[in-house]
Amino acid sequence: GEFSEVIGSCAALRQVQEQIRKVAVTNANVLLVGETGTGKELFARSIHAAGPRKDEHFLAINCGTRPEELLESQLFGTRTAVPGHGQTVEDGLLLHAGEGTVFLDEISNLPLSTQAKLLRAIEYGEVLPVGGSEPQQVRARIIASTTRELAREVAQDRFHEDLFYRLDGVKIQIPPLRDRIDDIPELVEYFVGKYSRQMRKRV
């Protein structure tokens, strides 16, 4: 099922799984908040897998990708004029995902100018590819993650306020392992089993 890769059964984890079940079927955009190493992409994949478009693409991008031009071409696509041949067209992730999901890992790392373009994609369902003149329709669901407090980033003019409100509507807090102590035996058993199979050794 959608939680097959999520190991554990403590109360904190069950609460997150219940939130995911509720939000997945709505196809709403989601913000996952949690410390580094809490498995936010795994939960993003769970949301996608539990949703009505689970057979569509799930595509992920790290928002710290540099330079900025590369990040924007990966996200929004490119249109390049080729003399005598019209244009070469490269679809970015937001277009290539179709009606699937795009996971924006650590969204606080997005440059402000890129944030403004992403806001337009969310508000109006369209992107303007780099070098293009015609907007393209976007139908993908956005799941973003952050390790930072985005409200503080907004207050310090490092994050677009309107984008923050667009993403903050459905927010899921992913618990760190120290709040999941009861899950440790289950996790140990899972990883011992996994690596003993891989290494063909009995532990």
Side-chain angles (χ1 to χ4, degrees):
E2 65 268 24
F3 296 119
S4 57
E5 294 291 317
V6 178
I7 309 302
S9 53
C10 73
L13 193 60
R14 286 201 309 272
Q15 185 179 357
V16 168
Q17 289 171 333
E18 188 55 37
Q19 285 179 289
I20 284 175
R21 284 192 187 94
K22 286 177 181 172
V23 76
V25 295
T26 68
N27 222 50
N29 298 326
V30 181
L31 179 65
L32 301 176
V33 182
E35 297 171 20
T36 300
T38 47
K40 291 182 289 295
E41 181 169 343
L42 198 58
F43 287 96
R45 289 180 182 276
S46 295
I47 293 169
H48 176 75
R53 303 177 185 175
K54 63 179 184 291
D55 296 325
E56 300 283 337
H57 291 299
F58 177 97
L59 305 175
I61 186 169
N62 187 310
C63 294
T65 299
R66 293 292 182 269
E68 194 173 318
E69 296 77 23
L70 174 62
L71 175 65
E72 293 202 352
S73 64
Q74 286 181 345
L75 265 178
F76 308 125
T78 56
R79 299 289 184 272
T80 309
V82 179
H85 297 281
Q87 285 191 333
T88 61
V89 176
E90 287 278 341
D91 283 345
L93 295 186
L94 288 167
L95 289 172
H96 186 61
E99 294 191 346
T101 300
V102 175
F103 175 59
L104 303 173
D105 193 17
E106 198 47 80
I107 196 163
S108 63
N109 286 334
L110 270 188
L112 279 166
S113 60
T114 312
Q115 289 178 30
K117 293 172 186 173
L118 177 64
L119 176 64
R120 184 163 189 87
I122 292 172
E123 281 190 325
Y124 298 103
E126 63 181 35
V127 295
L128 187 64
V130 177
S133 55
E134 287 289 325
Q136 306 291 309
Q137 289 300 117
V138 171
R139 302 186 307 281
R141 167 190 219 151
I142 306 283
I143 301 179
S145 81
T146 182
T147 54
R148 296 184 196 163
E149 180 55 63
L150 287 189
R152 191 179 302 137
E153 298 293 303
V154 170
Q156 295 175 356
D157 294 326
R158 290 200 295 255
F159 202 81
H160 202 300
E161 187 172 19
D162 288 346
L163 180 57
F164 167 67
Y165 286 120
R166 280 283 178 174
L167 292 171
D168 199 57
V170 179
K171 181 164 66 176
I172 298 177
Q173 191 82 38
I174 308 298
L177 191 57
R178 65 177 172 275
D179 293 341
R180 297 176 49 197
I181 299 299
D182 293 347
D183 286 342
I184 289 177
E186 208 172 324
L187 284 159
V188 169
E189 189 178 332
Y190 170 78
F191 284 113
V192 166
K194 177 180 178 180
Y195 292 117
S196 62
R197 282 192 302 275
Q198 281 183 5
M199 298 167 77
R200 294 184 178 152
K201 293 191 179 207
R202 292 184 65 186
V203 179

